[in-house]
Amino acid sequence: MEGDSRDLRIWPLQKFCFSLDIGDLQTSAFQEVTGLDVETEVIEYRDNNSRQFSTVKMPGISKVGNVTLKKGIFVKDNKFWEWFEQIEMKTIKRAPAVIKLLDEMGNSTMVWTLTNAFPVKITGTDLKSDGDAVAVETLEIAHEGITIQQG
């Protein structure tokens, strides 16, 4: 946007345009991604020679939650079920999952990379004879860490 005097950094990013790549799986468009969170446990202790009658808090082990993905069901698209079925054979393939938040031009503005992701739960669509909604399946993946980068 050359010549535009607006400073786009004062507006929050919009969240409806994103892409997702999981290893070498050819992924289709996803409707929703949730669970991009990290938290750190708090360790409380009291030093034995402390004059204060209270605990000191320190950061402990960090942990990440599972990420939930929702997507429409397409004809002959069983990639995620096939990936999930590998768990039974004890040969689950772990893969990096890269989630990119895109701007209006399709350029990535934020990138979340999940390390060693693998599926832990798949939920098929609900079926209703009186509805006209799109069939959506849910895939929950576990991972071993998350890194965040700017575009």
Side-chain angles (χ1 to χ4, degrees):
M1 299 180 99
E2 292 183 15
D4 193 348
S5 61
R6 295 180 299 159
D7 186 359
L8 298 178
R9 292 175 293 172
I10 64 171
W11 299 103
L13 297 171
Q14 296 176 329
K15 64 180 186 175
F16 61 84
C17 190
F18 60 91
S19 69
L20 173 63
D21 294 315
I22 302 176
D24 57 358
L25 294 173
Q26 296 295 321
T27 58
S28 53
F30 281 83
Q31 174 182 341
E32 184 177 334
V33 176
T34 58
L36 295 171
D37 52 77
V38 180
E39 68 178 272
T40 299
E41 293 180 10
V42 175
I43 299 171
E44 294 187 34
Y45 75 97
R46 182 174 183 270
D47 199 8
N48 64 356
N49 62 357
S50 174
R51 293 179 185 226
Q52 291 183 330
F53 195 65
S54 63
T55 59
V56 175
K57 295 184 179 187
M58 294 181 53
I61 295 175
S62 293
K63 60 182 178 177
V64 293
N66 291 347
V67 174
T68 302
L69 312 169
K70 292 185 180 182
K71 73 173 196 67
I73 297 176
F74 295 89
V75 175
K76 298 182 182 181
D77 181 12
N78 292 330
K79 292 181 290 273
F80 295 114
W81 286 96
E82 292 166 0
W83 189 30
F84 185 78
E85 286 174 344
Q86 292 177 9
I87 292 173
E88 295 177 16
M89 296 183 288
K90 308 292 188 260
T91 59
I92 189 67
K93 181 179 180 181
R94 295 172 180 246
V98 180
I99 303 157
K100 296 179 183 178
L101 182 61
L102 307 174
D103 64 13
E104 63 276 356
M105 304 298 288
N107 302 314
S108 59
T109 57
M110 296 284 294
V111 179
W112 293 265
T113 303
L114 311 177
T115 306
N116 292 330
F118 61 96
V120 294
K121 181 179 179 181
I122 294 182
T123 304
T125 189
D126 59 334
L127 303 171
K128 294 182 182 179
S129 63
D130 64 345
D132 62 352
V134 172
V136 174
E137 68 183 349
T138 303
L139 173 68
E140 185 176 333
I141 58 175
H143 59 96
E144 296 176 350
I146 185 170
T147 58
I148 303 171
Q149 298 172 330
Q150 297 292 318

